[in-house]
Amino acid sequence: MSTRIKQAIPVTPDVPRHIAIIMDGNGRWAKRRFMPRFAGHRKGVEALRGVIRACAERGVTHLTVFAFSSENWRRPQEEVTLLMELFLRALENEVAKLHENGIRFRVIGDLSGFSDRIQTLIREAEALTRDNGRLTFTVAANYGGRWDLVQAVKKLVASGEPVSEAALAEHLSLADAPEPDLFIRTGGEQRISNFLLWQLAYTELYFTDALWPDFDAAALDAAIASYRTRERRFGRTSEQLLTAS
């Protein structure tokens, strides 16, 4: 086996570098408790706070969460309005805490759909935390995987570069991050719902029936434990992995 191939086979680390999460089940969590759906979203913010902390403590370097998809605008107007208010309050109240803990914050998606106030807070938060290196926490908001591919193609065509996989990847929203090692979806659904379509090509998928507000550090550890059992071959055989090691 050539040296080049040996170097190209990644070793599965004990802890994934990059975890991507669809935080599903907030509304159902609230409904089961005879509470308004928005109460589930508020509880979901608390769960996210704990997961960010747990990822940083376990050595995860990138955490990307799907907070609001480009399709979520179709939800009832009252719920969308409350979600925007929750996003605004989170930006006002949580960013300073992230900064104190050495966490970089960023948002990917079509930000033009948000209010001027939200856009300003996003820019300020990204600027404040830009140099933090403990964990990069990315929120996908008004984001869709197809939108990401289209905007990347437009940028590539405008640049005049020759079209290739590598050139296209450089224009995607997460171009400066490693591709996710582990994808988690809570809430019992088993699909990726237009999230990071390009980046999840070789990601290990983990689905759990736990609703997002109930997802805690122990649930994260269970997902990571499942990840550790996976053999990440990237198109190669088990024998090639053994030879490379």
Side-chain angles (χ1 to χ4, degrees):
M1 182 178 292
S2 71
T3 302
R4 183 184 63 82
I5 292 178
K6 286 183 180 180
Q7 292 176 341
I9 298 176
V11 176
T12 302
D14 287 339
V15 176
R17 297 169 303 167
H18 188 173
I19 296 178
I21 304 178
I22 291 181
M23 307 176 292
D24 198 8
N26 292 328
R28 280 172 286 159
W29 183 92
K31 185 177 181 180
R32 290 178 185 180
R33 290 159 177 79
F34 304 100
M35 302 166 68
R37 286 177 57 86
F38 188 64
H41 293 302
R42 280 201 303 262
K43 189 68 175 178
V45 172
E46 295 180 21
L48 178 57
R49 190 182 298 125
V51 169
I52 294 171
R53 183 186 309 113
C55 283
E57 291 172 348
R58 284 152 182 74
V60 176
T61 61
H62 291 76
L63 171 65
T64 302
V65 300
F66 208 1
F68 191 85
S69 76
S70 50
E71 289 78 26
N72 285 155
W73 295 107
R74 303 170 186 169
R75 293 190 175 188
Q77 184 58 49
E78 181 182 8
E79 182 173 350
V80 171
T81 299
L82 290 171
L83 286 171
M84 291 301 104
E85 181 69 17
L86 185 62
F87 190 21
L88 177 64
R89 297 297 169 235
L91 287 166
E92 291 175 337
N93 300 326
E94 302 293 333
V95 171
K97 300 172 188 175
L98 295 174
H99 184 51
E100 290 173 5
N101 287 280
I103 295 171
R104 180 189 177 197
F105 173 81
R106 61 186 303 214
V107 177
I108 58 172
D110 182 5
L111 302 188
S112 66
F114 297 118
S115 68
D116 291 343
R117 176 61 176 162
I118 287 179
Q119 292 183 52
T120 297
L121 288 172
I122 289 172
R123 288 193 294 269
E124 291 176 351
E126 291 180 332
L128 174 67
T129 64
R130 181 175 291 119
D131 296 327
N132 294 340
R134 186 181 183 195
L135 170 73
T136 296
F137 170 52
T138 302
V139 174
N142 197 22
Y143 173 90
R146 291 175 177 175
W147 166 87
D148 200 3
L149 287 167
V150 170
Q151 66 86 27
V153 168
K154 288 180 178 178
K155 289 179 180 178
L156 178 58
V157 171
S159 73
E161 301 173 65
V163 176
S164 67
E165 285 190 17
L168 180 61
E170 289 178 358
H171 294 286
L172 292 168
S173 296
L174 287 179
D176 61 344
E179 292 184 352
D181 300 297
L182 173 63
F183 164 87
I184 300 170
R185 180 167 187 158
T186 61
E189 304 291 352
Q190 298 189 15
R191 55 180 178 267
I192 60 175
S193 297
N194 198 24
F195 182 42
L196 303 179
L197 296 180
W198 178 284
Q199 296 89 343
L200 293 179
Y202 280 99
T203 300
E204 300 300 323
L205 308 182
Y206 179 85
F207 301 99
T208 174
D209 290 333
L211 302 178
W212 176 249
D214 294 326
F215 194 87
D216 56 13
L220 178 68
D221 286 338
I224 292 174
S226 174
Y227 166 79
R228 288 173 179 157
T229 69
R230 314 289 180 90
E231 184 179 67
R232 308 196 72 202
R233 296 194 299 272
F234 295 88
R236 298 173 176 84
T237 67
S238 298
E239 290 74 16
Q240 283 179 300
L241 295 181
L242 290 172
T243 302
S245 62

